[in-house]
Amino acid sequence: MSSFPLLTVAAALPAVGAVLTAALPAATSARRRDLNKAVPLGLSVLTLVLAAIVAIRFKPGGARYQMTEYHAWIADFGVGYSVGVDGIAVVLILLTAVLVPMVMLASWHDADPAYPSPDHHPYPGGSAPLLPINDQGTFERSRRTQGFFALILAVEAMVILSFEATDVFLFYVFFEAMLIPMYFLIGGFGDRTHGEDARQRSYAAVKFLLYNLLGGLIMLAAVIGLYVITAQQGVGTGGHGSFDLSTITQALASGKLHFSGTAENALFLGFMFAFAVKAPLWPFHTWLPNAMGESTAGVAVLITAVVDKVGTYAMLRFCIQLFPQASKTFAPAILVLSVIGIIYGALLAVGQKDIKRLIAYASLSHFGFIIMGIFAMTSQGQSGATLYMVNHGISTAALLLVVGFLMSRRGSRMIADYGGVQKVAPVLAGTFMIGGLATLSLPGLAPFVSEFLVLVGTFTRYPVIGIVATVGIVLAALYVLVLYQRTMTGPVAPAVAGFKDLRARELVVVTPLIALLLLLGVFPKPITNIINPAVRATLSDVQRTDPAPPHPAPLAQSASTTNGGGQ
């Protein structure tokens, strides 16, 4: 157990920062508003430093869960504040901490009270103040901007705690609690590039909340069922049940805890339903296009690159570890849903006219690959799926944030409203291309390695599923290249002619993301070294090993014959 509560501090810092940001004096000038933004940005950078320290201190060859902390919370019900990280959690915490400062910088003007960005400034040259002025000629006081940034920090804190939690009840609390700030980010700070239609934003926010609350309520029933069974079989202490993940998995391994087939299947489905909605997995995905379409680009990154990863992470952490037999029983059905999601999402992306909805359906397809890798139950598949979570987060963030910069200049998210951007803003077009090529998993960029591992890992156990899934790769090339062609090439559209190229702040946002895509595309070893031991431990929980090749390799046969002759 670590002497310094590093994991608690890493999650508490953005939580305290959210409260501090919300409590700052209301902005009465543009300068004050920028100072109010600098506080949460600085705190998010400090959180990134702490996440980096967690990654550095983590020893891939050490104990499965490291830097653990435990404090009794609701002792009468076996609930404790229990946190710890394995390799899978470490890389996802680091991903979250990297993306949040990028989201804040990219969203610098998204919540300004009067106008969405300087490009929409109503005064020539943008010289007049952005804050609205009242009848007395003084600035209106506004907390809107700092509320936006406080909500982002609150989401970060809850996501990090979800990755750290090793108590099932503690995980459930933050799994559900993160819905509240996300609801306000979608409904209260939605995309204004296509007008002020609050009804569409409200609909998207309510749909997001209701879908995920339904999944959470079903999971709560399963969490209670798990507790009751552990109490009946004496797994907890003092006659109580247990929510502690390590205690339950050890009891399962030793035979002290045993589920009936029906009970295990029911509990697995309760957990899996909640995670399938959050991820999302087809056909539980229908909230995603609405939520992403009506959100700002930065909030859309939080949805698909950060919050949704909690769902796929939880499949590895809780579904497989707590219910190993049920995981194997339902794996074929989940693989079929994953493949449907891969192809369905890609097909709908091809036909989209809205850029953000196109990216939403592309993400549905990518989540199909991630979930397919998890339930292929092979080391390559699960390592690839975990790496895919990281790489998808980086590539989708890069593409969405560049799209946000593009939309702020034009005031539209419709593909048909663009054309010839590369002639007037070549750097913007170039970064857009790299983000798009990463989305289609071009070799040399980070997502290619993870997608390749997922397909190889799936093919070794389910060859038909693996072959069908490759259709998604072909369709991805189609929707990405067509999107680039229609927006960036061809004659310069009249509304595009005055576009400015990426500014310094925007370059600070996209440059690190593109650098990570290139680095992890050619050298993923630092991440895979952390991931692989955790994946092997997960497979041992479910008592799965990689399938043996159907026939010995020719070189191996030759070597065997040679050695035999020498004897």
Side-chain angles (χ1 to χ4, degrees), residues 452-516:
F452 178 78
L453 285 173
V454 165
L455 288 170
V456 169
T458 303
F459 185 83
T460 57
R461 177 157 277 139
Y462 301 97
V464 174
I465 294 288
I467 292 170
V468 175
T470 59
V471 175
I473 301 175
V474 179
L475 293 173
L478 180 60
Y479 61 70
V480 168
L481 295 177
V482 168
L483 172 64
Y484 184 86
Q485 180 187 40
R486 291 179 178 175
T487 56
M488 301 293 153
T489 66
V492 178
V496 170
F499 273 17
K500 295 179 180 179
D501 217 332
L502 293 182
R503 301 177 178 85
R505 172 180 59 85
E506 295 167 336
L507 286 171
V508 169
V509 171
V510 299
T511 300
L513 298 175
I514 291 174
L516 285 172

Side-chain angles (χ1 to χ4, degrees), residues 239-323:
H240 304 298
S242 177
F243 290 109
D244 185 71
L245 180 64
S246 297
T247 300
I248 296 172
T249 53
Q250 289 171 10
L252 284 168
S254 65
K256 185 178 179 180
L257 175 63
H258 174 73
F259 297 112
S260 68
T262 301
E264 182 172 359
N265 289 344
L267 293 177
F268 171 86
L269 290 174
F271 278 73
M272 185 63 195
F273 180 81
F275 304 152
V277 172
K278 180 85 80 178
L281 173 67
W282 184 92
F284 311 107
H285 68 283
T286 58
W287 62 267
L288 181 66
N290 297 100
M292 286 185 64
E294 297 303 323
S295 299
T296 65
V299 173
V301 170
L302 287 181
I303 293 170
T304 190
V306 177
V307 171
D308 287 355
K309 297 299 186 299
V310 178
T312 48
Y313 164 80
M315 293 177 192
L316 274 167
R317 173 62 61 249
F318 297 103
C319 282
I320 291 179
Q321 287 193 50
L322 292 174
F323 315 111

Side-chain angles (χ1 to χ4, degrees), residues 23 62 86 182 197 208 222 317 428-429 554:
D86 66 354
M182 285 305 308
D197 190 352
F208 163 83
R317 173 62 61 249
L428 189 155

Side-chain angles (χ1 to χ4, degrees), residues 132-477:
I133 299 177
N134 60 26
D135 294 338
Q136 288 73 43
T138 58
F139 287 105
E140 293 282 2
R141 297 172 62 85
S142 172
R143 291 183 178 272
R144 174 182 172 88
T145 300
Q146 64 204 68
F148 176 75
F149 283 86
L151 289 170
I152 292 175
L153 284 176
V155 171
E156 180 180 27
M158 293 174 187
V159 169
I160 290 175
L161 271 168
S162 297
F163 291 140
E164 294 175 349
T166 55
D167 181 279
V168 177
F169 187 82
L170 182 69
F171 169 83
Y172 172 78
V173 169
F174 291 105
F175 180 81
E176 288 292 273
M178 71 179 70
L179 300 178
I180 304 304
M182 285 305 308
Y183 167 80
F184 287 109
L185 284 170
I186 297 168
F189 299 90
D191 185 7
R192 293 183 287 176
T193 59
H194 64 295
E196 293 287 348
D197 190 352
R199 291 175 299 175
Q200 287 298 319
R201 293 199 298 272
S202 296
Y203 171 76
V206 170
K207 189 174 184 180
F208 163 83
L209 187 64
L210 291 180
Y211 268 61
N212 284 275
L213 280 178
L214 174 62
L217 287 173
I218 293 174
M219 179 184 169
L220 178 60
V223 168
I224 294 170
L226 177 66
Y227 176 81
V228 169
I229 292 174
T230 58
Q232 290 173 344
Q233 300 189 26
V235 171
T237 58
H240 304 298
S242 177
F243 290 109
D244 185 71
L245 180 64
S246 297
T247 300
I248 296 172
T249 53
Q250 289 171 10
L252 284 168
S254 65
K256 185 178 179 180
L257 175 63
H258 174 73
F259 297 112
S260 68
T262 301
E264 182 172 359
N265 289 344
L267 293 177
F268 171 86
L269 290 174
F271 278 73
M272 185 63 195
F273 180 81
F275 304 152
V277 172
K278 180 85 80 178
L281 173 67
W282 184 92
F284 311 107
H285 68 283
T286 58
W287 62 267
L288 181 66
N290 297 100
M292 286 185 64
E294 297 303 323
S295 299
T296 65
V299 173
V301 170
L302 287 181
I303 293 170
T304 190
V306 177
V307 171
D308 287 355
K309 297 299 186 299
V310 178
T312 48
Y313 164 80
M315 293 177 192
L316 274 167
R317 173 62 61 249
F318 297 103
C319 282
I320 291 179
Q321 287 193 50
L322 292 174
F323 315 111
Q325 295 305 316
S327 297
K328 291 188 282 189
T329 298
F330 289 102
I334 295 171
L335 288 169
V336 170
L337 294 181
S338 300
V339 171
I340 294 174
I342 289 169
I343 298 174
Y344 175 85
L347 284 173
L348 264 66
V350 171
Q352 289 303 306
K353 299 178 181 179
D354 181 318
I355 301 176
K356 282 199 294 182
R357 289 179 72 91
L358 184 153
I359 298 173
Y361 283 113
S363 290
L364 172 64
S365 183
H366 295 149
F367 276 106
F369 278 108
I370 294 170
I371 298 169
M372 185 176 74
I374 292 171
F375 284 93
M377 303 288 187
T378 61
S379 59
Q380 299 99 326
Q382 291 191 350
S383 292
T386 306
L387 186 60
Y388 211 139
M389 292 184 218
V390 176
N391 292 337
H392 171 264
I394 298 169
S395 62
T396 300
L399 183 59
L400 268 171
L401 294 180
V402 174
V403 163
F405 301 149
L406 181 70
M407 293 189 303
S408 71
R409 286 158 167 76
R410 175 64 180 85
S412 173
R413 63 194 199 198
M414 295 294 109
I415 296 172
D417 290 336
Y418 296 88
V421 175
Q422 68 180 14
K423 295 178 182 177
V424 295
V427 177
L428 189 155
T431 54
F432 187 98
M433 173 177 280
I434 294 173
L437 293 177
T439 299
L440 64 82
S441 300
L442 184 77
L445 296 174
F448 169 76
V449 180
S450 43
E451 193 167 281
F452 178 78
L453 285 173
V454 165
L455 288 170
V456 169
T458 303
F459 185 83
T460 57
R461 177 157 277 139
Y462 301 97
V464 174
I465 294 288
I467 292 170
V468 175
T470 59
V471 175
I473 301 175
V474 179
L475 293 173

Side-chain angles (χ1 to χ4, degrees), residues 1-6 57 67-69:
M1 184 174 292
S2 173
S3 58
F4 180 76
L6 182 58
R57 289 188 57 183
M67 291 166 269
T68 56
E69 303 169 37

